[in-house]
Amino acid sequence: MIRLSKSIIGNKEAQEVTRILLEDGYLGMGAEVGRFETEIANYINVPAQNVVCVNTGTSALHLAVEAVVEKGFEVLVSSLTFLSSYQAISAAGAIPVSCDVYEDSFSIDLDDAQRRITKKTKAIMAVHYASNPANIEQLYSFAQKNNLRVIEDAAHAFGCEYKGKKVGSFGDIICFSFDGIKNITSGEGGAIVTNDTNVLSIVKDARLLSIEKDSDKRYSGQRSWDFDVKRQGYRYHMRSEEIQSLHLKE
C-alpha cells in the first residue's frame, strides 16, 4: 500500500512546540505567528504585512471571499477541487458557480467561465491543482475584462513558481494551506497573501473575532480587552504552538 503523503514530524518539531509554549506563556496566537508570517513573506518576496496566517486553508479561502464578495453574489470556481473551495464560498454567503477545467492543465476553463458570468458575478476562484499554477496570465486578463476579483486557491502550490516568480509574490488574493499533506505543514494552518490594504485589514481582524487591531497586540504577547467589533468575526487565528520548526528554504 502506497501512502499519498506522510508528514515528517520528529523530535525537532516536538522541541520547537515546547519552546513556543514556554516562551509565549499561553495557548493561542502569539509572537511566533508574527515571525512565521515574516518568514513566509521573505520566502516569497513580499512585504511582511502582506501575509496573514490563519488556522486552515479553508479559513483563508472563506475570509478572502468574505472580504471581496457581498452575500448573495456569485463566485466562479473550478469544478475540479476539494470541498473546501465550495464551502468557503457558501460560508461567506456567496454562491459558487461550477466551471469546467481544461483537459491538459486541469485549470479553470475560461471559455466556460465566460458563459456562466451574470450581473451577480464578482470573483473567480482559480485552483492550482496538483501544484500547477497554469494559465495565470490568461486568468488575470479574463478577470480584468470582466471586472472580477481573483482568489487563487493555492493550497497545493506553496513554493511553486510561475515564470521565475513564486506563487504568492504576484496576483490579487492568494490562499495557502499548511495541513498535514501539503508541501509544508504546521499540523493545520493556512495563509492569505495580498497587497490590498482593505482586504488585509478585514482578514487580520476577522481571524480574531473582528476585534480591531488585536493582531499587533497578540504578536507582543498581549491582547485586547476593550472590544470594538463592527463586522462578523471568527476564531480563525493560527495558534503559535501549532507552528513547528518550519524552515522555508530554496
Side-chain angles (χ1 to χ4, degrees), residues 29-30 37 52 200 203-208 211-222 224:
M29 179 175 151
E37 290 173 343
V52 183
L200 287 168
V203 300
K204 283 181 179 179
D205 288 347
R207 65 175 169 176
L208 288 163
I211 300 170
E212 291 188 357
K213 310 300 182 184
D214 198 28
S215 288
D216 291 341
K217 291 184 179 180
R218 296 295 185 103
Y219 294 152
S220 61
Q222 304 175 59
S224 299

Side-chain angles (χ1 to χ4, degrees), residues 41-240:
N42 291 338
Y43 178 70
I44 63 177
N45 194 28
V46 299
Q49 64 266 24
N50 289 12
V51 179
V52 183
C53 282
V54 290
N55 60 344
T56 68
T58 305
S59 300
L61 292 170
H62 176 198
L63 294 184
V65 175
E66 196 164 271
V68 297
V69 180
E70 295 180 12
K71 291 182 179 180
F73 286 86
E74 297 172 351
V75 180
L76 303 172
V77 60
S78 170
S79 58
L80 183 62
T81 186
F82 187 54
L83 182 61
S84 294
S85 303
Y86 282 78
Q87 291 278 26
I89 295 169
S90 61
I95 302 168
V97 178
S98 297
C99 300
D100 291 340
V101 297
Y102 294 121
E103 292 184 1
D104 57 346
S105 65
F106 300 134
S107 59
I108 191 166
D109 185 327
L110 298 176
D111 292 327
D112 187 55
Q114 185 68 59
R115 290 190 289 269
R116 298 178 188 276
I117 287 181
T118 71
K119 292 180 179 180
K120 300 186 75 175
T121 308
K122 296 297 179 181
I124 181 168
M125 183 180 289
V127 179
H128 300 330
Y129 188 80
S131 299
N132 183 21
N135 306 317
I136 293 291
E137 292 168 348
Q138 296 92 326
L139 170 69
Y140 277 92
S141 293
F142 172 87
Q144 184 177 24
K145 170 187 171 184
N146 292 286
N147 194 29
L148 303 178
R149 298 301 298 259
V150 178
I151 300 169
E152 298 181 37
D153 182 344
H156 290 182
F158 186 83
C160 296
E161 295 185 355
Y162 182 81
K163 294 189 175 181
K165 295 182 179 180
K166 285 206 165 49
V167 172
S169 66
F170 58 93
D172 192 2
I173 307 172
I174 299 86
C175 297
F176 293 118
S177 171
F178 305 133
D179 80 3
I181 67 168
K182 298 306 190 297
N183 300 359
I184 64 170
T185 181
S186 54
E188 287 285 355
I192 300 161
V193 183
T194 182
N195 61 9
D196 185 321
T197 55
N198 185 58
V199 171
L200 287 168
S201 177
I202 290 171
V203 300
K204 283 181 179 179
D205 288 347
R207 65 175 169 176
L208 288 163
L209 298 173
S210 282
I211 300 170
E212 291 188 357
K213 310 300 182 184
D214 198 28
S215 288
D216 291 341
K217 291 184 179 180
R218 296 295 185 103
Y219 294 152
S220 61
Q222 304 175 59
R223 61 185 304 169
S224 299
W225 298 107
D226 184 11
F227 301 154
D228 187 4
V229 177
K230 299 174 183 176
R231 298 176 59 98
Q232 175 65 47
Y234 309 91
R235 288 187 63 82
Y236 279 177
H237 56 282
M238 177 179 276
R239 291 159 45 203
S240 288

